[in-house]
Amino acid sequence: MSSEFFSILAERIGKTGMSGKRLEYALNRVLDTFTYKRLTIADILGIDVKCRILTYSAMCNEVARNGGSTDDYAPIRISGAEKPGWVLKGDKARYNIPDEL
């Protein structure tokens, strides 16, 4: 890839506010799965994964509204937050979300 490609990629990463962890995930995903001859910026930024983090109350409301169980969720600690957030266990495993952010 050209230096112009990396310059534009860096600019877009800055403008989208992609965190270092999310960028690392996206780049690793592209390296592991990319099959085309020419890499595009969309190939990298399109993998920017966002996961919903719920409060305990919001998680309980979602379970009551949609069915399922609170056992479908896992707590994660977010630095500076008094209480844990809750994410779907499937998302936690799929995106390798650590117990503490």
Side-chain angles (χ1 to χ4, degrees):
M1 304 309 303
S2 70
S3 59
E4 181 183 20
F5 171 86
F6 290 106
S7 177
I8 293 169
L9 177 60
E11 178 185 322
R12 295 305 310 147
I13 289 168
K15 286 186 178 183
T16 61
M18 183 183 252
S19 72
K21 285 282 188 190
R22 287 168 38 204
L23 176 60
E24 181 181 353
Y25 174 83
L27 290 174
N28 286 333
R29 181 94 171 145
V30 166
L31 291 172
D32 292 344
T33 63
F34 190 73
T35 59
Y36 298 109
K37 291 182 180 180
R38 194 133 181 82
L39 185 63
T40 69
I41 293 183
D43 292 323
I44 296 169
L45 296 183
I47 298 176
D48 186 15
V49 175
K50 295 179 183 169
C51 182
R52 287 181 8 172
I53 300 174
L54 304 172
T55 64
Y56 181 78
S57 175
M59 182 221 4
C60 289
N61 289 338
E62 189 159 301
V63 167
R65 184 174 49 251
N66 300 327
S69 168
T70 56
D71 289 337
D72 296 336
Y73 293 83
I76 59 168
R77 290 272 174 202
I78 301 170
S79 63
E82 187 177 312
K83 297 179 181 179
W86 296 82
V87 296
L88 285 167
K89 285 182 179 177
D91 287 347
K92 188 173 187 311
R94 183 180 306 116
Y95 303 125
N96 197 25
I97 299 170
D99 292 335
E100 235 176 277
L101 297 174

